[in-house]
Amino acid sequence: MKNFTKIFLLLTIVPVLLFAQSKKTKSPDKLERLKQEAVAEIDRRKDQAQQINDMLFSFSELGFQEEETFRYLTTLLEKEGFKVQKGIANMPTAWIATWGSGKPVIAIGSDVDCIPKANQKPGVAYHDPLVEGAPGHGEGHNSGQALNIVAALTVKQIMEREKLSGTLMLWPGVAEELVGAKAFYVRDGYFKDVDACIFTHVGNNLGVSHGDAGNTGLVSVKFSFEGQAAHAAGAPWRGKSALDAVELMNIGWNFRREHLELTQRSHYVISDGGDQPNVVPSKAAVWYYFRERSYPKIKKLFDTGVKMAEGAALMTDTKFTYEILGSAWPGHFNKPIAEAMYQNMKKVGLPTWSEEDQMLAKASQKELQAPKVEGLAMKLDTLGLPAGAPTTMMGGQGLISTGGAGSDDIADISWSLPTVVLRYPSNIPGLPGHHWANAISMATPIAHKGVVAGAKAEAMTLLDMLMKPEIIKNAWEYYTKEQTKEIKYTPLISPKEYPAVYLNREIMAKFKPELKKYYYDPTKYKTYLEQLGINYPTLRDDQKAELMKEKESKGK
């Protein structure tokens, strides 16, 4: 009887175990199949990605004035079934678009604003603006929403058919060049119930990093001085010059630089220097960015700036006020999500660049005197690791790694929930950044191919996060036990601050009528290059000759 019982148990339990094992092996197979389906669907949507990319490029809108971009993207997403909340966080051009239901809630964001005086014809390897002096996409923020929307629509299609639980949340980085929006998004609770965030940013390779990104955080502050006007020749002694206060503050700050830590970066522009020379300026203003590598050091730098303003006001018998225009923490990005994303990047690989793509890249690198003239990336970037260990300076003081000097307010979101930044290869290596030259590739096949590659990596990672709950579980464990174990996020803005939505209004009012003449019309032209009548690539004769000479020498 005992033997019969053993045989019966074996006959009943073993099939159950085998079935359970088969379910375990089928799940990854299904996930991989869906990933390949997503890749194929994104290839089918490449024209849609190109149109979104080129449309945003043609708008050329500065921070807080992204009106055409706002209308175009929100209309598109509403047609695709997304619920769109407009004007969030007291910003007319900000929005959140959601689709789906339940957990996980995954935020997918990218910046949309452009750079002052960076207008440039795409595909032209030398300075040739469409509108002289106008803004342009001299960083490439026109491309990220194209990537995100195509990836999200692809995953949405799969979620509908497979009945997958989850919510996709698309959003724009408004006024990123002013670091003017994301801290307000966080403060006002728009990321409160979000499980993870994928952010995309243009680069020159396909890559992702985790840990301390090595960049700086900052606080952006405008100091306004008020004095008393007077006739500058007839009665200057009756005047109290606000401009003198601005200049004295700047002189004091520049003398102080020698005694600031090596990790700091600070810059200013005089945004108001008075009206005309024969009137003692009663009002003047200076706009500072105070950058450092940690919250306490940013705060200390800012406090030093306030003291400088107080001193300048005392010396000139003027009054001063200050306004915080924006802020950003130094970034810290999530390891489990980055590792999952990098595995997908290896499957996607870099785009296949044409000879024309490489010609444009090399000619542009030569024109801008890039450190290396090697064309577009041919080898996939490695997984980015945390910034280096602290270094010890003379005097025995320990400093955290100086890292890079750039700042991005995606960092405020990264300190609020697990976040990664997906970089994709739509720009040319070795260019100056925040410059007209960085717009050269941004409405060309280089940008289009980079966006498609990035969309594939993002869609595959979204499917991972939707179908493998352990990824988000591990992401929060890393966020709680490593990232925020000793460092807690403290906003650099207070509850009384509001977004400076008036910034760039006058500039856009000046240039928009001319820029409108060049808005992209995809109903008539397949690409923006075709609409503009630009031969791809466009090089001067001397650039062509130099590249030909180089090619011949390598052939020998």
Side-chain angles (χ1 to χ4, degrees), residues 69 82 138 148 212-213 321 356-357 407 461 539:
T69 300
F82 280 75
N148 289 348
D212 176 4
T321 57
E356 290 78 12
D357 297 334
S407 308
T461 306
L539 280 62

Side-chain angles (χ1 to χ4, degrees), residues 57-68:
F57 183 93
S58 73
F59 292 151
S60 296
E61 294 178 305
L62 291 169
F64 288 127
Q65 309 307 319
E66 308 97 335
E67 296 170 353
E68 300 297 334

Side-chain angles (χ1 to χ4, degrees), residues 68 72 119 124 180 196 274 309 340 351 415 421 454 473-474 484 488 499 528:
E68 300 297 334
Y72 174 73
N119 199 263
V124 179
W415 284 99
V421 176
K473 178 177 177 292
N474 294 340
T484 61
K488 303 300 179 186
Y528 195 43

Side-chain angles (χ1 to χ4, degrees), residues 7 91 94 102 153 207 242 271 309 322 340 484 498 507 519 525 555:
I7 292 168
M91 299 177 215
L153 293 180
S271 52
Y322 65 81
T484 61
Y498 286 90
I507 299 173
Y519 285 177
Y525 303 96

Side-chain angles (χ1 to χ4, degrees), residues 148-272:
N148 289 348
I149 289 171
V150 166
L153 293 180
T154 297
V155 172
K156 172 180 176 285
Q157 185 173 298
I158 292 171
M159 290 174 71
E160 285 176 314
R161 190 191 67 220
E162 300 293 326
K163 296 180 171 54
L164 296 177
S165 174
T167 304
L168 303 178
M169 170 182 153
L170 288 162
W171 58 277
V174 165
E176 187 277 334
E177 300 302 346
L178 304 170
V179 288
K182 299 185 188 76
F184 291 99
Y185 293 170
V186 173
R187 186 194 70 181
D188 293 350
Y190 291 101
F191 286 83
K192 186 178 178 182
D193 298 317
V194 177
D195 295 296
C197 176
I198 294 177
F199 189 73
T200 58
H201 197 284
V202 64
N204 51 55
N205 206 314
L206 198 57
V208 65
S209 304
H210 63 78
D212 176 4
N215 60 341
T216 57
L218 68 81
V219 60
S220 166
V221 192
K222 183 175 76 171
F223 294 91
S224 298
F225 293 86
E226 185 172 352
Q228 184 172 306
H231 195 296
W237 52 86
R238 296 182 66 178
K240 298 176 182 179
S241 175
L243 178 58
D244 286 354
V246 163
E247 292 187 304
L248 284 166
M249 179 181 178
N250 294 342
I251 290 167
W253 187 261
N254 288 326
F255 272 102
R256 186 64 177 265
R257 285 181 195 274
E258 181 185 355
H259 310 290
L260 298 174
E261 294 186 23
L262 299 181
T263 45
Q264 78 86 23
R265 299 288 188 275
S266 54
H267 353 272
Y268 60 80
V269 294
I270 297 175
S271 52
D272 180 3

